[in-house]
């Protein structure tokens, strides 16, 4: 859905990339450490627009699992060097404008008690927009938290971004056989 939004807003560009944030707590010591190691790795999505959505999703999932499996690699310097060599990006500027995290944690509360999860930004954004998607409970409801830099995102553009992403997610569930360009046209 996010790939579609970024592609649509760049004249159906097929060269789309986001940062995939990995917060790994692989063992009990890491879980109890009072913090976690968070890495944002590039998730390239260079897919032709005639590719089926379900095939693109499978490709993205495989790439994300590879990133997750190698979370111990300190790749920040490697990424910056590759960006500079491949795209000529200036220091501290990235090729990706957005980072996404999906947190599958579901709040377990007694029946009848509602919960709302809130995330708080650190104030140290290095990207134009961070999107955190969290499962609220076993109902299937999702909470979308956008942490965007004011210089890069207006309230209206954030609203439009959310509308496209939620519309695209619903369309993907209803018809995973559609092509990426059809998803862009929503």
């Amino acid at each position: 859905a996010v790939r579609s939004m970024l592609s649509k807003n760049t004249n159906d560009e097929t060269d789309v990339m986001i940062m995939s944030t990995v917060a790994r707590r692989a063992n009990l010591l890491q879980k109890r450490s009072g913090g976690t190691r968070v890495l944002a790795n590039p998730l390239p999505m260079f897919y032709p627009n005639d590719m089926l959505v379900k095939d693109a999703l499978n490709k993205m999932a495989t790439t994300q699992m590879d990133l997750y499996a190698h979370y111990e690699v300190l790749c920040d310097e490697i990424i910056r060097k590759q960006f500079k060599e491949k795209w000529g990006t200036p220091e501290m500027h990235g090729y990706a404008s957005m980072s996404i995290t999906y947190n599958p944690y579901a709040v377990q509360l007694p029946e009848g008690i509602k919960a709302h999860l809130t995330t708080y930004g650190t104030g140290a954004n290095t990207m134009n927009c961070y999107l955190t998607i969290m499962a609220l409970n076993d109902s299937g409801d999702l909470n979308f938290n956008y942490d965007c830099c004011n210089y890069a995102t207006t309230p209206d553009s954030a609203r439009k971004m959310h509308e496209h992403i939620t519309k695209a997610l619903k369309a993907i569930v209803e018809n995973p056989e559609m092509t990426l360009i059809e998803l862009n046209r929503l």
Side-chain angles (χ1 to χ4, degrees):
V2 171
R3 184 218 176 268
S4 168
M5 185 263 312
L6 292 172
S7 176
K8 178 179 182 173
N9 287 305
T10 54
N11 299 316
D12 299 321
E13 178 62 58
T14 58
D15 182 357
V16 176
M17 186 173 77
I18 60 167
M19 299 303 278
S20 179
T21 305
V22 177
R24 181 80 184 254
R25 297 168 191 94
N27 57 48
L28 195 54
L29 181 61
Q30 289 175 351
K31 289 177 186 176
R32 293 182 176 167
S33 69
T36 188
R37 184 160 175 217
V38 178
L39 300 174
N41 293 302
L43 178 61
M45 296 175 283
F46 309 141
Y47 308 146
N49 281 325
D50 61 350
M51 180 182 246
L52 296 180
V53 168
K54 70 176 186 176
D55 295 336
L57 290 171
N58 285 330
K59 217 171 175 176
M60 279 184 245
T62 300
T63 304
Q64 283 186 305
M65 291 310 293
D66 288 344
L67 292 173
Y68 188 72
H70 301 289
Y71 81 99
E72 289 289 350
V73 176
L74 291 172
C75 58
D76 188 44
E77 289 180 23
I78 297 167
I79 292 168
R80 275 196 233 141
K81 182 179 177 188
Q82 287 177 344
F83 284 2
K84 189 169 185 101
E85 288 173 3
K86 187 165 184 171
W87 295 291
T89 57
E91 194 62 31
M92 298 306 292
H93 287 43
Y95 175 68
S97 59
M98 192 166 188
S99 180
I100 300 175
T101 301
Y102 172 69
N103 184 352
Y105 174 74
V107 178
Q108 303 296 321
L109 295 172
E111 192 173 328
I113 298 176
K114 294 185 177 185
H116 176 75
L117 301 176
T118 302
T119 60
Y120 297 96
T122 63
N125 285 4
T126 57
M127 302 197 76
N128 293 339
C129 185
Y130 288 90
L131 169 57
T132 303
I133 304 170
M134 294 185 284
L136 291 179
N137 50 39
D138 292 333
S139 70
D141 291 342
L142 297 173
N143 182 47
F144 291 76
N145 182 66
Y146 296 87
D147 187 7
C148 301
C149 294
N150 290 339
Y151 69 83
T153 309
T154 65
D156 189 52
S157 63
R159 181 188 53 75
K160 288 177 182 175
M161 180 178 9
H162 182 70
E163 285 174 359
H164 181 81
I165 290 170
T166 53
K167 186 189 286 187
L169 285 172
K170 289 176 185 175
I172 290 166
V173 170
E174 291 171 5
N175 182 13
E177 298 286 332
M178 70 173 35
T179 63
L180 293 173
I181 195 71
E182 289 172 323
L183 191 60
N184 288 5
R185 297 292 175 250
L186 296 177

